Amino acid sequence: MKKILKYAMLFASVIALGTSFSACSDDDDKNESKLSEKQTAMKELTEQYVNNVIYPIYSSLANQTSVLFEQLVDAKKKYRAGSLNQSDIDKICATFINARSAWEQSESFLYGAATDWGIDPHIDTWPLDRVALAKQLSSSEIVEELDDLDEGGIDNARALVGEQQLGFHGIEFIIFRNGKNRTLAALKGIEDDEAFAGRNISGEQELVFACAVAGDLRDKCYQLEVSWMGSKAPKEHQDRVEECEFNTTVAGGDLYYGENMINATQAGSTMKSWRGVMGTILVSGCSNICAEVAGQKIGQAYLGQDEDYIESPYSQRSYYDFYDNISSIKYSLYGQQSDEVHAKSIMAYLQKYNSSMANELSSKLNAALKALDTAKKGTPFVVEPHSNNAKAAMDAINALDETLNSAASWIAANR
């Protein structure tokens, strides 16, 4: 599982940086009544960031994956009744795209529950092992067990098909092909992917698999939502997470992840300084996803290190994924899901205390988004991974990454 190994190496590197930021603790950080002007600003922007970036994105992700699961279960029933139509498939594809966008827009805060509980690799590993999947769907016993998971995976899907078939990309393979929505005619026929040659796999078997994986995906996204929002998450989602017996509080603590960050420096929080919080957001979060997009998501295929390491190849939406990843950084910096900078945000903080740094960061952010927007309008990444558009996007994202780290270092050093 290439992404798991890659992510472990990347996260190890940013943990070292994050630790150094947490060590920059002012004595005043330990007593909220004595917070300096800058510390007060950091506290307020953190509250804005958690409540208006992290919470709504994870809430959207949970809701969209729930709808996706319900639509796939309905599609399986209609397939068997002979009433499934193309509009049903098209609605599933649209919901998938919405859910996928919410997930990619969350990747600038993978440092929390997504990493601690292994949710990131569980729902977003690629490339899909189609040979293994074809073999698994050839087993009537496995298909029958998958068919019994209509109430959700409760982690059983992983035991049946393995983690590399789970999550978004297993579902993507079933409902998209060659950048287009799967056709009803294709689902009514026999799977013609070369990895399935001679297997005689039907659309019904594929939908059974997609339903089971979607239930597991939904459950894991509920876990993300509840881990950050706690009692602010819908009760139905909380109940499901409790039924699944998922971990939801910060490793080594009793707080939910949102509480843990908002209550930095207070008793019970694992975050010991407000500059440590800034380092977490900028380095463990924003810089980390920059490094992943440029060095791994684009770099692996572009540089020829691994031609098969291409995200979202069946929908051909790789550049859309990458654009959402950088949008995730934008929202983290702006303090809201908007093109406007919120008054209580990291970007506003920099504009007040280091305008040249803010201007540079804004310029590099806009350049990265522009490069990816251009790439989205061109040839899909999976079709032409060595294009000038890929190179331009990779270079722009690397430049943004450097500036993010410079901004984090400046904040850490200037009290």
Side-chain angles (χ1 to χ4, degrees), residues 284-311:
S284 300
C286 297
S287 173
N288 186 28
I289 192 57
C290 267
E292 182 175 341
V293 175
Q296 303 293 321
K297 293 185 177 187
I298 298 177
Q300 287 268 22
Y302 177 82
L303 298 172
Q305 296 168 347
D306 188 342
E307 297 286 350
D308 293 327
Y309 194 82
I310 294 180
E311 189 174 23

Side-chain angles (χ1 to χ4, degrees), residues 46 69 73 209 217 221 308:
T46 298
F69 171 62
V73 170
F209 165 76
L217 173 65
C221 292
D308 293 327

Side-chain angles (χ1 to χ4, degrees), residues 90-308:
D90 293 342
K91 288 176 183 177
I92 291 169
C93 292
T95 300
F96 178 93
I97 288 171
N98 289 336
R100 184 72 186 161
S101 181
W103 165 248
E104 295 298 335
Q105 289 180 13
S106 79
E107 291 209 6
S108 68
F109 34 94
L110 289 176
Y111 52 76
T115 293
D116 287 353
W117 310 127
I119 298 171
D120 176 23
H122 186 101
I123 68 174
D124 198 25
T125 289
W126 71 86
L128 183 72
D129 189 341
R130 291 174 293 124
V131 173
L133 179 59
K135 182 177 180 180
Q136 289 153 358
L137 294 186
S138 298
S139 167
S140 58
E141 182 179 346
I142 289 177
V143 172
E144 184 177 346
E145 290 192 57
L146 288 171
D147 203 14
D148 289 336
L149 297 181
D150 270 6
E151 294 305 316
I154 319 183
D155 235 13
N156 291 328
R158 175 165 56 181
L160 290 170
V161 299
E163 190 161 72
Q164 200 157 348
Q165 322 311 348
L166 297 182
F168 284 104
H169 301 296
I171 300 169
E172 180 200 3
F173 173 73
I174 304 302
I175 63 174
F176 291 97
R177 291 298 164 83
N178 301 314
K180 298 179 181 179
N181 297 354
R182 193 89 178 270
T183 65
L184 180 62
L187 272 176
K188 284 186 173 181
I190 299 301
E191 175 57 64
D192 61 0
D193 183 86
E194 61 182 3
F196 287 70
R199 293 286 185 181
N200 204 39
I201 303 300
S202 69
E204 180 181 0
Q205 290 166 295
E206 292 185 278
L207 285 173
V208 166
F209 165 76
C211 287
V213 172
D216 178 82
L217 173 65
R218 177 204 65 181
D219 290 347
K220 289 298 183 181
C221 292
Y222 280 5
Q223 183 185 13
L224 276 170
E225 178 190 39
V226 175
S227 292
W228 275 93
M229 297 180 66
S231 61
K232 294 181 179 180
K235 188 176 185 304
E236 178 187 352
H237 299 185
Q238 296 179 58
D239 291 345
R240 178 60 181 173
V241 167
E242 184 176 355
E243 179 186 356
C244 294
E245 299 182 347
F246 289 150
N247 293 311
T248 54
T249 55
V250 173
D254 298 321
L255 299 176
Y256 293 109
Y257 286 80
E259 295 174 323
N260 189 62
M261 181 167 274
I262 288 173
N263 293 315
T265 77
Q266 301 302 301
S269 175
T270 62
M271 296 193 163
K272 304 307 179 185
S273 76
W274 288 111
R275 283 174 178 76
V277 173
M278 298 302 102
T280 295
I281 296 171
L282 289 169
V283 180
S284 300
C286 297
S287 173
N288 186 28
I289 192 57
C290 267
E292 182 175 341
V293 175
Q296 303 293 321
K297 293 185 177 187
I298 298 177
Q300 287 268 22
Y302 177 82
L303 298 172
Q305 296 168 347
D306 188 342
E307 297 286 350
D308 293 327

Side-chain angles (χ1 to χ4, degrees), residues 40-50 52-53 331-336 341-349:
T40 298
M42 291 178 199
K43 179 179 183 297
E44 291 176 347
L45 73 85
T46 298
E47 292 172 352
Q48 172 67 23
Y49 162 73
V50 170
N52 295 283
V53 178
Y331 301 148
S332 294
L333 295 174
Y334 284 18
Q336 58 187 356
V341 174
H342 194 275
K344 296 178 181 178
S345 66
I346 290 178
M347 189 65 82
Y349 180 94

